[in-house]
Amino acid sequence: MNPEYLHAISNHMLVIGVGLGFFAVVLALILKSRQAQIVALAVVLVSSAAAYPVLFLGQQAYKSVRGIADEPGQSWLDAHMERAESTIYIYYALMIVAGAALAVPKWKPKAAVPLALATLALAAASMGVGGWISYAGGQVRHAEFRDGPPPAAVEARHQHSVHE
């Protein structure tokens, strides 16, 4: 198993899992069911925890993918990596808040709904960020998806950069 392949399949757990968890939390709040909230929040927690492995595998795959990408694809890859590295913290925050939404209501039941709503807000933000990251990633090897020029050059500050 190479990191390119593992990155390509694991990012779906992150993106799709957070999205499904978001809708499950909405449904749980509508149903006013703590049991449903627990399941939905667990989906969000596990899905957002996938952010670090997804980033790590992407960093491991960077050099080899850059080596096979065309010039515009290389620029898109740099943008994809920069976006992922600069926004991963939203997934960490989501993981922490979802974990708090699972645990804190055991001691403070009135915190359940506010923490679930905070989880929803962060999940929505992370879905937006995930779409932004994924858009650049999809441009790397799929010229047919490119509807404009690559973003302006991003200064390579990655430890896995080919410039080192």
Side-chain angles (χ1 to χ4, degrees):
M1 295 290 220
N2 61 29
E4 299 85 358
Y5 177 74
L6 292 174
H7 175 73
I9 62 172
S10 65
N11 72 51
H12 292 89
M13 179 179 180
L14 176 61
V15 173
I16 294 170
V18 169
L20 290 174
F22 174 88
F23 289 111
V25 173
V26 169
L27 183 60
L29 288 170
I30 290 170
L31 295 174
K32 298 181 181 178
S33 168
R34 180 64 187 157
Q35 292 82 10
Q37 281 182 31
I38 290 169
V39 172
L41 292 165
V43 169
V44 173
L45 177 69
V46 170
S47 299
S48 59
Y52 179 75
V54 169
L55 177 65
F56 176 78
L57 290 165
Q59 289 170 331
Q60 298 303 304
Y62 180 83
K63 285 182 184 178
S64 63
V65 172
R66 198 166 202 295
I68 59 174
D70 60 8
E71 190 174 324
Q74 290 173 352
S75 294
W76 281 111
L77 179 63
D78 292 342
H80 175 64
M81 184 61 72
E82 180 65 28
R83 291 174 182 188
E85 289 178 340
S86 65
T87 60
I88 189 155
Y89 304 103
I90 193 164
Y91 292 102
Y92 297 157
L94 176 59
M95 185 174 61
I96 290 166
V97 172
L102 282 167
V104 170
K106 290 179 183 178
W107 300 281
K108 297 189 182 237
K110 290 185 178 185
V113 171
L115 286 170
L117 291 172
T119 301
L120 281 178
L122 277 170
S126 70
M127 288 188 304
V129 164
W132 184 58
I133 295 166
S134 298
Y135 178 80
Q139 307 298 308
V140 175
R141 296 279 296 150
H142 296 284
E144 68 276 14
F145 295 157
R146 297 177 190 156
D147 58 358
V154 177
E155 184 177 325
R157 63 177 181 88
H158 319 292
Q159 67 181 5
H160 42 270
S161 174
V162 295
H163 303 296
E164 294 180 344

